[in-house]
Coordinates of all heavy atoms in Angstrom, one line a residue:
M1 N 0.9 -1.1 0.0 CA -0.1 0.0 0.0 C 0.9 1.2 0.0 O 1.8 1.4 0.8 CB -0.9 0.0 1.3 CG -1.8 1.1 1.3 SD -2.9 1.1 2.7 CE -3.7 -0.4 2.7
D2 N 0.7 2.1 -0.9 CA 1.4 3.3 -1.0 C 0.9 4.4 -0.2 O -0.1 4.3 0.5 CB 1.7 3.8 -2.5 CG 0.4 4.2 -3.1 OD1 -0.6 4.3 -2.6 OD2 0.5 4.5 -4.4
A3 N 1.6 5.6 -0.1 CA 1.1 6.6 0.8 C -0.3 7.2 0.4 O -1.0 7.6 1.3 CB 2.2 7.8 0.7
L4 N -0.5 7.4 -0.8 CA -1.8 7.8 -1.3 C -2.9 7.0 -0.9 O -4.0 7.4 -0.4 CB -1.8 8.1 -2.8 CG -3.2 8.7 -3.4 CD1 -3.4 10.0 -2.8 CD2 -3.1 8.8 -4.9
Q5 N -2.8 5.6 -1.1 CA -3.7 4.7 -0.8 C -4.0 4.6 0.8 O -5.1 4.7 1.3 CB -3.4 3.3 -1.2 CG -3.4 3.0 -2.7 CD -2.8 1.7 -3.1 OE1 -2.0 1.1 -2.4 NE2 -3.2 1.4 -4.3
Q6 N -2.9 4.8 1.5 CA -3.1 4.8 3.0 C -3.8 6.2 3.4 O -4.6 6.1 4.4 CB -1.7 4.8 3.7 CG -1.8 4.9 5.2 CD -2.4 3.5 5.7 OE1 -2.1 2.5 5.3 NE2 -3.2 3.7 6.7
H7 N -3.5 7.2 2.7 CA -4.2 8.6 3.0 C -5.7 8.4 2.8 O -6.6 8.8 3.5 CB -3.6 9.6 2.2 CG -4.4 10.9 2.4 ND1 -4.4 11.6 3.5 CD2 -5.1 11.7 1.5 CE1 -5.1 12.8 3.3 NE2 -5.5 12.7 2.1
L8 N -6.1 7.8 1.7 CA -7.4 7.6 1.3 C -8.2 6.7 2.3 O -9.3 7.0 2.7 CB -7.5 7.0 -0.2 CG -7.2 7.9 -1.3 CD1 -7.2 7.2 -2.6 CD2 -8.1 9.1 -1.3
F9 N -7.5 5.7 2.7 CA -8.0 4.8 3.7 C -8.3 5.5 5.0 O -9.3 5.5 5.7 CB -7.1 3.5 3.9 CG -7.6 2.6 4.9 CD1 -8.7 1.8 4.6 CD2 -6.9 2.4 6.1 CE1 -9.1 0.7 5.4 CE2 -7.4 1.5 7.0 CZ -8.5 0.7 6.7
D10 N -7.3 6.3 5.5 CA -7.3 7.0 6.7 C -8.4 8.1 6.7 O -9.1 8.4 7.6 CB -6.0 7.7 7.1 CG -5.0 6.6 7.5 OD1 -5.4 5.5 7.8 OD2 -3.8 7.0 7.5
S11 N -8.6 8.8 5.5 CA -9.6 9.7 5.3 C -11.0 9.2 5.4 O -11.9 9.7 6.0 CB -9.5 10.5 3.9 OG -8.2 11.2 3.8
Y12 N -11.2 8.0 4.8 CA -12.4 7.3 4.8 C -12.8 6.9 6.3 O -13.8 7.1 6.7 CB -12.4 6.1 4.0 CG -13.6 5.2 4.1 CD1 -14.8 5.5 3.4 CD2 -13.7 4.1 4.8 CE1 -15.9 4.7 3.6 CE2 -14.7 3.2 5.0 CZ -15.9 3.5 4.3 OH -17.0 2.8 4.4
R13 N -11.7 6.4 7.0 CA -12.1 6.0 8.3 C -12.5 7.1 9.2 O -13.3 7.2 10.0 CB -10.8 5.3 8.9 CG -11.0 4.8 10.3 CD -9.8 4.1 10.9 NE -8.8 3.6 9.9 CZ -7.5 3.5 10.2 NH1 -7.1 3.8 11.3 NH2 -6.7 3.1 9.3
A14 N -11.7 8.3 9.0 CA -11.9 9.6 9.8 C -13.3 10.2 9.5 O -14.0 10.6 10.4 CB -10.9 10.6 9.5
A15 N -13.8 10.0 8.2 CA -15.2 10.4 7.8 C -16.2 9.7 8.4 O -17.2 10.1 9.0 CB -15.3 10.5 6.3
R16 N -16.0 8.3 8.6 CA -16.9 7.4 9.2 C -17.1 7.7 10.7 O -18.1 7.6 11.2 CB -16.5 5.9 8.9 CG -16.5 5.5 7.4 CD -17.8 5.1 7.0 NE -18.2 3.9 7.8 CZ -19.2 3.2 7.6 NH1 -20.0 3.5 6.7 NH2 -19.6 2.1 8.4
R17 N -15.9 8.1 11.3 CA -15.9 8.3 12.8 C -16.3 9.7 13.2 O -16.3 10.1 14.3 CB -14.5 8.0 13.3 CG -14.1 6.5 13.2 CD -12.7 6.4 13.9 NE -12.4 5.0 13.7 CZ -11.2 4.5 14.1 NH1 -10.3 5.4 14.6 NH2 -10.9 3.3 14.2
G18 N -16.4 10.5 12.1 CA -16.6 12.1 12.4 C -15.4 12.8 12.8 O -15.7 13.9 13.5
E19 N -14.3 12.3 12.5 CA -13.1 13.1 13.0 C -12.4 13.8 11.8 O -12.9 13.6 10.6 CB -12.0 12.0 13.3 CG -12.4 11.1 14.5 CD -11.5 9.9 14.7 OE1 -10.5 9.7 13.9 OE2 -11.6 9.2 15.7
P20 N -11.7 14.8 12.1 CA -11.0 15.5 10.9 C -10.1 14.7 10.1 O -9.5 13.7 10.6 CB -10.2 16.7 11.6 CG -10.1 16.3 12.9 CD -11.3 15.3 13.3
A21 N -10.2 15.0 8.8 CA -9.3 14.2 7.9 C -7.8 14.5 8.1 O -7.4 15.6 8.5 CB -9.6 14.6 6.4
P22 N -7.0 13.5 8.0 CA -5.5 13.8 8.2 C -4.9 14.6 7.0 O -5.4 14.6 6.0 CB -4.9 12.4 8.2 CG -5.9 11.5 7.3 CD -7.3 12.1 7.6
P23 N -3.8 15.2 7.3 CA -3.1 15.9 6.1 C -2.7 15.1 5.1 O -2.3 13.9 5.2 CB -2.0 16.7 6.9 CG -1.7 15.8 8.1 CD -2.9 15.2 8.5
A24 N -2.7 15.6 3.8 CA -2.3 14.9 2.7 C -0.8 14.5 2.7 O 0.1 15.2 3.5 CB -2.6 15.8 1.4
P25 N -0.4 13.4 2.1 CA 1.0 13.1 2.1 C 1.9 14.2 1.6 O 1.6 14.8 0.6 CB 1.1 11.8 1.3 CG -0.3 11.3 1.1 CD -1.2 12.6 1.4
G26 N 3.0 14.5 2.3 CA 4.0 15.4 1.8 C 3.7 16.8 2.3 O 4.4 17.8 1.8
T27 N 2.6 17.1 3.0 CA 2.2 18.4 3.3 C 3.3 19.1 4.2 O 3.6 20.3 4.1 CB 0.8 18.4 4.2 OG1 -0.2 17.7 3.3 CG2 0.4 19.8 4.5
H28 N 3.9 18.5 5.1 CA 4.8 19.0 6.1 C 6.3 18.5 5.8 O 7.1 18.7 6.7 CB 4.3 18.7 7.5 CG 3.0 19.0 7.9 ND1 2.6 20.3 8.0 CD2 1.9 18.3 8.1 CE1 1.3 20.3 8.3 NE2 0.9 19.1 8.3
D29 N 6.5 18.1 4.6 CA 7.9 17.5 4.4 C 9.0 18.7 4.5 O 10.0 18.5 5.1 CB 8.1 17.0 2.9 CG 7.3 15.6 2.9 OD1 6.9 15.1 3.9 OD2 7.2 15.1 1.8
L30 N 8.8 19.9 3.9 CA 9.7 20.9 4.0 C 9.9 21.4 5.4 O 11.0 21.6 5.9 CB 9.3 22.1 3.1 CG 9.5 21.9 1.6 CD1 8.9 23.1 0.9 CD2 10.9 21.5 1.2
A31 N 8.9 21.6 6.2 CA 9.0 21.9 7.6 C 9.8 21.0 8.4 O 10.6 21.3 9.3 CB 7.7 22.0 8.2
V32 N 9.6 19.6 8.1 CA 10.4 18.5 8.8 C 12.0 18.7 8.5 O 12.8 18.5 9.3 CB 9.8 17.2 8.5 CG1 10.8 16.2 9.0 CG2 8.5 17.0 9.1
L33 N 12.2 19.0 7.2 CA 13.6 19.1 6.6 C 14.2 20.3 7.4 O 15.3 20.2 7.8 CB 13.7 19.2 5.2 CG 13.3 17.9 4.4 CD1 13.3 18.1 3.0 CD2 14.3 16.8 4.9
R34 N 13.5 21.5 7.5 CA 14.1 22.7 8.1 C 14.3 22.4 9.6 O 15.4 22.8 10.2 CB 13.1 23.7 8.0 CG 13.1 24.3 6.6 CD 12.2 25.6 6.6 NE 11.9 25.9 5.1 CZ 10.7 25.8 4.6 NH1 9.7 25.5 5.3 NH2 10.6 26.2 3.3
E35 N 13.4 21.8 10.3 CA 13.6 21.3 11.7 C 14.8 20.5 11.8 O 15.6 20.6 12.8 CB 12.5 20.7 12.3 CG 11.2 21.8 12.4 CD 10.0 21.1 13.0 OE1 10.2 20.0 13.6 OE2 9.0 21.7 12.8
L36 N 15.0 19.5 10.9 CA 16.1 18.6 11.0 C 17.5 19.3 10.8 O 18.4 19.2 11.6 CB 16.1 17.5 10.0 CG 17.2 16.5 10.0 CD1 17.4 15.7 11.2 CD2 17.0 15.5 8.7
R37 N 17.5 20.2 9.9 CA 18.6 21.2 9.7 C 19.0 21.9 10.9 O 20.1 21.9 11.4 CB 18.4 22.1 8.5 CG 19.5 23.0 8.1 CD 19.3 24.1 7.2 NE 18.2 24.9 7.8 CZ 17.5 25.8 7.3 NH1 17.5 25.9 5.9 NH2 16.5 26.4 7.9
D38 N 18.0 22.6 11.5 CA 18.1 23.4 12.7 C 18.7 22.6 13.9 O 19.4 23.0 14.7 CB 16.8 24.1 13.0 CG 16.4 25.3 12.0 OD1 17.3 25.6 11.2 OD2 15.3 25.6 12.0
H39 N 18.0 21.4 14.0 CA 18.5 20.5 15.1 C 20.0 20.0 14.9 O 20.7 20.0 15.9 CB 17.7 19.2 15.2 CG 18.0 18.3 16.2 ND1 17.9 18.5 17.5 CD2 18.7 17.1 16.1 CE1 18.4 17.5 18.2 NE2 18.9 16.6 17.3
R40 N 20.4 19.8 13.7 CA 21.7 19.5 13.5 C 22.7 20.6 13.8 O 23.9 20.5 14.3 CB 22.0 19.0 12.1 CG 21.4 17.6 11.9 CD 21.8 17.1 10.5 NE 21.2 15.7 10.3 CZ 21.4 15.0 9.2 NH1 21.7 15.6 8.1 NH2 20.9 13.8 9.1
R41 N 22.2 21.8 13.3 CA 23.1 23.1 13.6 C 23.2 23.2 15.2 O 24.3 23.5 15.6 CB 22.5 24.3 13.0 CG 22.7 24.5 11.5 CD 22.0 25.5 11.0 NE 22.3 25.7 9.6 CZ 21.8 26.7 8.8 NH1 21.0 27.6 9.4 NH2 22.0 26.8 7.5
F42 N 22.1 23.0 15.8 CA 22.1 23.3 17.4 C 23.0 22.2 18.0 O 23.8 22.6 18.9 CB 20.6 23.1 17.8 CG 20.6 23.4 19.3 CD1 20.8 24.7 19.8 CD2 20.2 22.3 20.1 CE1 20.6 24.8 21.2 CE2 20.1 22.5 21.5 CZ 20.3 23.9 22.0
A43 N 23.0 21.0 17.6 CA 23.9 20.0 18.1 C 25.3 20.3 17.8 O 26.1 20.1 18.7 CB 23.5 18.5 17.4
R44 N 25.6 20.8 16.6 CA 27.1 21.2 16.4 C 27.5 22.3 17.3 O 28.6 22.2 17.8 CB 27.2 21.7 14.9 CG 27.1 20.7 13.9 CD 27.5 21.2 12.6 NE 27.0 20.4 11.5 CZ 26.1 20.7 10.6 NH1 25.8 22.0 10.5 NH2 25.7 19.8 9.7
V45 N 26.6 23.3 17.6 CA 27.0 24.3 18.5 C 27.3 23.7 19.9 O 28.1 24.3 20.5 CB 25.9 25.5 18.5 CG1 26.1 26.5 19.5 CG2 26.0 26.2 17.2
L46 N 26.3 23.0 20.3 CA 26.5 22.4 21.7 C 27.8 21.6 21.9 O 28.5 21.5 22.8 CB 25.3 21.5 22.0 CG 24.0 22.3 22.4 CD1 22.9 21.3 22.7 CD2 24.2 23.3 23.4
A47 N 28.2 21.0 20.7 CA 29.5 20.2 20.6 C 30.7 21.1 20.6 O 31.8 20.5 20.6 CB 29.4 19.1 19.6
G48 N 30.6 22.3 20.3 CA 31.7 23.2 20.1 C 32.3 23.3 18.8 O 33.3 23.8 18.5
R49 N 31.5 22.9 17.7 CA 31.9 22.9 16.4 C 31.2 24.1 15.7 O 30.1 24.6 16.3 CB 31.5 21.6 15.7 CG 32.3 20.4 16.3 CD 32.2 19.2 15.4 NE 30.7 18.8 15.0 CZ 30.1 18.0 15.8 NH1 30.6 17.4 16.8 NH2 28.9 17.7 15.5
P50 N 31.6 24.5 14.5 CA 30.8 25.6 14.0 C 29.5 25.2 13.6 O 29.3 23.9 13.2 CB 31.8 25.9 12.7 CG 33.1 25.2 12.8 CD 32.8 24.2 13.9
A51 N 28.6 26.1 13.4 CA 27.2 25.7 13.2 C 27.0 25.2 11.7 O 26.2 24.5 11.3 CB 26.3 26.8 13.5
T52 N 27.8 25.9 10.8 CA 27.6 25.5 9.4 C 28.6 24.3 9.1 O 29.7 24.2 9.7 CB 27.9 26.7 8.5 OG1 29.3 27.2 8.8 CG2 27.1 27.9 8.7
G53 N 28.0 23.6 8.1 CA 28.9 22.5 7.7 C 29.9 22.9 6.6 O 30.2 24.0 6.3
P54 N 30.7 22.0 6.1 CA 31.7 22.3 5.1 C 31.2 23.0 3.8 O 31.8 24.0 3.4 CB 32.2 21.0 4.5 CG 31.6 19.9 5.4 CD 30.6 20.5 6.2
L55 N 30.0 22.7 3.3 CA 29.4 23.4 2.2 C 29.1 24.8 2.5 O 29.4 25.7 1.7 CB 28.1 22.8 1.7 CG 27.5 23.4 0.5 CD1 28.4 23.4 -0.7 CD2 26.2 22.7 0.2
G56 N 28.6 25.1 3.7 CA 28.2 26.5 4.2 C 29.4 27.3 4.4 O 29.5 28.5 3.9
R57 N 30.6 26.7 5.0 CA 31.7 27.5 5.1 C 32.4 27.8 3.7 O 33.0 28.8 3.5 CB 32.7 26.7 5.9 CG 32.2 26.6 7.4 CD 33.4 26.0 8.3 NE 33.7 24.7 7.9 CZ 33.3 23.6 8.5 NH1 32.2 23.8 9.4 NH2 33.7 22.4 8.2
T58 N 32.3 26.8 2.8 CA 32.9 27.1 1.4 C 32.2 28.2 0.7 O 32.7 29.0 0.1 CB 32.8 25.7 0.6 OG1 33.4 24.7 1.3 CG2 33.5 25.9 -0.8
L59 N 30.8 28.1 0.8 CA 30.0 29.2 0.2 C 30.4 30.6 0.7 O 30.4 31.5 0.1 CB 28.6 28.9 0.1 CG 28.0 27.7 -0.6 CD1 26.7 27.4 -0.4 CD2 28.3 28.0 -2.2
A60 N 30.5 30.6 2.1 CA 30.8 31.9 2.8 C 32.2 32.4 2.3 O 32.4 33.6 2.1 CB 30.7 31.7 4.2
A61 N 33.2 31.4 2.2 CA 34.4 31.9 1.7 C 34.4 32.5 0.4 O 35.0 33.4 -0.1 CB 35.4 30.7 1.9
L62 N 33.7 31.7 -0.5 CA 33.5 32.3 -2.0 C 32.8 33.6 -1.9 O 33.2 34.5 -2.7 CB 32.8 31.2 -2.8 CG 33.5 30.0 -3.3 CD1 32.6 29.1 -3.9 CD2 34.6 30.4 -4.2
R63 N 31.8 33.7 -1.1 CA 31.1 35.1 -1.1 C 32.0 36.3 -0.7 O 32.1 37.3 -1.4 CB 30.0 35.0 -0.2 CG 28.6 34.7 -0.9 CD 27.4 34.9 0.2 NE 26.7 33.7 0.1 CZ 26.5 32.8 1.0 NH1 27.3 32.9 2.1 NH2 25.8 31.7 0.9
S64 N 32.8 36.0 0.4 CA 33.7 37.0 0.8 C 34.8 37.3 -0.2 O 35.3 38.4 -0.4 CB 34.3 36.7 2.2 OG 35.2 35.5 2.1
R65 N 35.3 36.2 -0.8 CA 36.4 36.4 -1.8 C 35.9 37.2 -3.0 O 36.6 38.0 -3.5 CB 36.8 34.9 -2.3 CG 38.0 34.9 -3.1 CD 39.2 35.3 -2.4 NE 40.1 34.0 -2.5 CZ 41.5 34.2 -2.2 NH1 41.9 35.5 -1.9 NH2 42.2 33.3 -2.2
L66 N 34.7 37.1 -3.4 CA 34.2 37.6 -4.6 C 33.5 39.0 -4.2 O 33.1 39.7 -5.1 CB 33.1 36.7 -5.4 CG 33.7 35.5 -5.9 CD1 32.6 34.6 -6.4 CD2 34.6 35.8 -7.0
G67 N 33.4 39.3 -2.9 CA 32.9 40.5 -2.5 C 31.3 40.6 -2.6 O 30.7 41.6 -2.6
L68 N 30.7 39.4 -2.5 CA 29.2 39.4 -2.7 C 28.7 39.3 -1.2 O 29.3 38.8 -0.2 CB 28.8 38.1 -3.3 CG 29.3 37.9 -4.8 CD1 28.9 36.5 -5.3 CD2 28.7 38.9 -5.6
R69 N 27.6 39.9 -1.1 CA 26.9 39.9 0.2 C 25.6 39.1 0.1 O 25.0 38.9 -0.9 CB 26.5 41.2 0.7 CG 27.8 42.1 1.0 CD 27.6 43.4 1.3 NE 26.2 43.8 1.8 CZ 25.6 45.0 1.7 NH1 26.3 45.9 1.1 NH2 24.4 45.2 2.1
R70 N 25.2 38.5 1.2 CA 24.0 37.7 1.3 C 22.8 38.7 1.1 O 22.8 39.9 1.6 CB 23.7 37.0 2.6 CG 24.7 35.9 2.8 CD 24.3 35.2 4.0 NE 24.1 33.7 3.6 CZ 23.9 32.8 4.3 NH1 23.6 33.1 5.7 NH2 23.7 31.6 4.0
P71 N 21.8 38.3 0.4 CA 20.6 39.1 0.3 C 19.8 39.3 1.7 O 19.8 38.5 2.4 CB 19.6 38.4 -0.7 CG 20.2 37.0 -0.6 CD 21.5 37.0 -0.3
Q72 N 19.4 40.5 1.9 CA 18.8 40.8 3.2 C 17.3 40.3 3.2 O 16.6 40.4 2.1 CB 18.8 42.4 3.5 CG 20.1 42.9 3.7 CD 20.1 44.3 4.2 OE1 19.0 45.0 4.0 NE2 21.3 44.9 4.7
T73 N 16.9 39.8 4.2 CA 15.6 39.2 4.2 C 14.6 40.1 5.1 O 13.4 39.8 5.1 CB 15.5 37.8 4.8 OG1 16.2 37.8 6.0 CG2 16.4 36.8 3.9
G74 N 15.1 41.0 5.8 CA 14.3 41.9 6.7 C 14.0 43.3 6.0 O 14.5 43.6 4.9
P75 N 13.3 44.1 6.8 CA 13.0 45.4 6.2 C 14.3 46.2 6.2 O 15.2 46.1 7.0 CB 12.0 46.0 7.2 CG 12.1 45.2 8.4 CD 12.6 43.9 8.0
T76 N 14.4 47.1 5.3 CA 15.6 48.0 5.2 C 15.2 49.4 5.5 O 14.0 49.8 5.4 CB 16.2 48.0 3.8 OG1 15.2 48.3 2.8 CG2 16.6 46.5 3.5
D77 N 16.2 50.2 5.7 CA 15.9 51.7 6.0 C 15.8 52.5 4.7 O 15.3 53.7 4.8 CB 17.0 52.2 6.8 CG 17.0 51.6 8.2 OD1 16.0 51.1 8.6 OD2 18.1 51.6 8.9
R78 N 16.2 51.9 3.6 CA 16.2 52.7 2.3 C 14.6 52.9 1.9 O 13.8 52.0 2.1 CB 16.9 51.9 1.2 CG 18.4 51.7 1.6 CD 19.2 51.1 0.5 NE 20.3 50.4 1.0 CZ 20.8 49.4 0.4 NH1 20.4 49.0 -0.7 NH2 21.8 48.9 1.0
P79 N 14.4 54.0 1.1 CA 13.1 54.2 0.6 C 12.8 53.4 -0.6 O 13.6 52.9 -1.2 CB 13.1 55.7 0.5 CG 14.5 56.2 0.4 CD 15.3 55.2 1.2

């Protein structure tokens, strides 16, 4: 039985019982991956290692070497 068939079965069972339907397969996949990444970063910091892995350090070195800055994600003071 694949994930879609299991979802349909669980949805049918929830409807028969009057319960809310379960979320569709794959709905929270990105959130789970982000939480896993954050947990690994946190564990690295607790162990006394840099929070970023080798790829992150390499990209940061390339950015600084080329004079590039990371894009800002928050509000800016510029009009």
Side-chain angles (χ1 to χ4, degrees):
M1 182 179 302
D2 64 4
L4 180 61
Q5 292 171 339
Q6 183 67 45
H7 174 69
L8 292 173
F9 182 71
D10 291 341
S11 297
Y12 173 76
R13 185 179 340 149
R16 297 271 301 181
R17 294 180 179 177
E19 300 171 353
T27 303
H28 303 291
D29 287 354
L30 289 178
V32 169
L33 291 175
R34 284 187 195 109
E35 288 180 22
L36 179 63
R37 179 195 63 199
D38 291 345
H39 177 73
R40 286 184 177 173
R41 284 181 178 175
F42 183 68
R44 283 188 205 123
V45 169
L46 289 180
R49 297 189 308 262
T52 59
L55 179 61
R57 288 192 299 271
T58 304
L59 291 175
L62 282 173
R63 267 192 229 105
S64 67
R65 185 76 118 157
L66 297 173
L68 301 175
R69 293 179 16 205
R70 290 187 125 178
Q72 291 185 350
T73 57
T76 61
D77 294 334
R78 295 182 208 158

